[in-house]
Amino acid sequence: MKMVPVISFDNYIDANIMLGKLQAEGITCFLRDEYTVTVDPILSNAVGGIKLVVPENEVSKARVLLSLFEQNKKTALECPQCHSHNVEYISNPAKSGNWLSAIIGFLFGSYALSIKKVYHCFDCGFEFDDLPPAKTSLFSEN
Ligand SMILES: [Zn+2]
């Protein structure tokens, strides 16, 4: 069976969370290149991060689930100040306080070094580090 990558990650924690979610939905899936990335994060650009692969015949099902997870994540994000859902997790080099690490981060890709990431509300401009309590599982809202 040919294995096809459907998504990639820059760290093994996110990769394993998504692996577990897909497996819980009955998808056969594995991670590739995990070892390389974990040992040396700077190499993750070169190998394209940690790839989550699924059998060719489960690609479309996996893609549907991935987009559902993504939507779910978006609705779960809520600005604590104005309660807008127009919130994204963005890099914020200005807050890293170190122009050198910003430049090195730019050269090696944003995940090579600690560029600060924050949740930014595009409606009121409020920025926050911590997520509000996550909503429960994927299909519970119906
Ligand atoms: Zn807001």
Side-chain angles (χ1 to χ4, degrees):
M1 179 62 71
K2 195 185 169 203
M3 300 300 284
V4 182
V6 287
I7 188 171
S8 70
F9 301 90
D10 57 29
N11 71 77
Y12 81 96
I13 298 169
D14 289 347
N16 276 291
I17 289 171
M18 189 52 79
L19 183 78
K21 281 184 174 182
L22 285 177
Q23 284 172 341
E25 302 292 336
I27 304 271
T28 314
C29 50
F30 304 97
L31 299 177
R32 284 220 184 122
D33 299 322
E34 180 178 1
Y35 182 72
T36 317
V37 175
T38 308
V39 168
D40 189 349
I42 289 173
L43 281 178
S44 79
N45 271 340
V47 297
I50 303 160
K51 288 185 275 296
L52 196 153
V53 297
V54 304
E56 210 167 18
N57 64 344
E58 293 190 57
V59 168
S60 50
K61 195 182 166 195
R63 290 222 168 105
V64 170
L65 285 166
L66 287 172
S67 67
L68 280 174
F69 293 143
E70 191 56 38
Q71 277 173 29
N72 199 49
K73 205 169 84 186
K74 275 228 143 191
T75 8
L77 286 177
E78 186 181 287
C79 173
Q81 189 149 295
C82 70
H83 303 289
S84 159
H85 290 296
N86 194 11
V87 170
E88 276 189 48
Y89 196 46
I90 56 163
S91 297
N92 191 345
K95 281 200 176 177
S96 73
N98 183 335
W99 62 270
L100 185 61
S101 75
I103 288 171
I104 293 169
F106 175 75
L107 291 176
F108 289 101
S110 60
Y111 29 73
L113 287 170
S114 57
I115 296 276
K116 178 149 175 76
K117 294 190 100 180
V118 292
Y119 295 97
H120 178 89
C121 173
F122 287 93
D123 284 351
C124 73
F126 189 66
E127 289 184 340
F128 51 105
D129 294 323
D130 293 318
L131 265 183
K135 290 197 178 142
T136 45
S137 74
L138 183 59
F139 301 109
S140 64
E141 284 177 49
N142 294 325

